[in-house]
Amino acid sequence: MRRLLLALPFALLPLAIAQAAEKHDHDHDHEHASLDAHEHGVARLNAALDGQTLELELESPAMNLVGFEHAASTDADKAKVAAVRAQLEKPLALFSLPPAAGCVVAQQELESPLFGDKPDAHDHDEDHGQAKDAGGHEHHHEHSEIHAHYQFTCATPGALKNLDLAGVFKTFPATQKIQVQLISPSGQQGVEATAKAASLKF
Ligand SMILES: [Zn+2]
């Protein structure tokens, strides 16, 4: 009898391990899913400084930058998208790169469904609206992101002491925080920047 009781915890052990493994898988799935869905107000930035090359990769919900995520159909929406695009096309100013570092844009790429100019976008929107009304279903989520990828060549990278994101928060005030992955000669760090703590050390 006594021997049986002692054996019991060991008999249960494989089950506990199996459950733990299952839980781990579940957590992993969950984590993966939350990477796909974005959170309004939160943007991600990868910043890598390697020699004279500085790379910045900004991934933001369109909501933070333009204030909506649907395809622009009205003139006002189109003007807003164009204005945001123009700001993103001036990264030296947006990211307040110090003139002493002598950075020039070597490459830049902007990507967003909102930047695509499909001639039939308007018709599509109308069809979509009718379908939604017919279904009587107002619950509708359509998320769009704006991705901006920049590569700079900096003559004096030593002058890049900080990455100051104050300009980004000021230009796009709907951005509440930016999750930054910073890679520099001093190592890799994950930092959360906000309007009040916008300056990061390279
Ligand atoms: Zn969204």
Side-chain angles (χ1 to χ4, degrees), residues 38 40 61-63 69 142-144:
H38 65 210
H40 293 171
M63 186 62 84
E69 300 197 338
E142 196 178 315
H143 290 284
S144 300

Side-chain angles (χ1 to χ4, degrees), residues 62 64-68 72 74-91 93-94 108 110 114-115 146 150 167-168 170-173:
N64 301 4
L65 309 188
V66 277
F68 55 84
T74 66
D75 285 347
D77 282 359
K78 284 177 189 170
K80 183 73 189 150
V81 170
V84 165
R85 194 176 178 145
Q87 280 162 323
L88 291 171
E89 282 169 350
K90 294 191 206 78
L94 185 62
Q108 72 179 31
L110 300 177
L114 273 68
F115 295 154
I146 293 177
Y150 309 99
V168 178
K170 206 176 152 197
T171 309
F172 304 117

Side-chain angles (χ1 to χ4, degrees), residues 31-47:
E31 191 180 301
H32 192 75
S34 65
L35 277 176
D36 293 337
H38 65 210
E39 185 184 341
H40 293 171
V42 181
R44 295 172 305 280
L45 176 72
N46 293 321

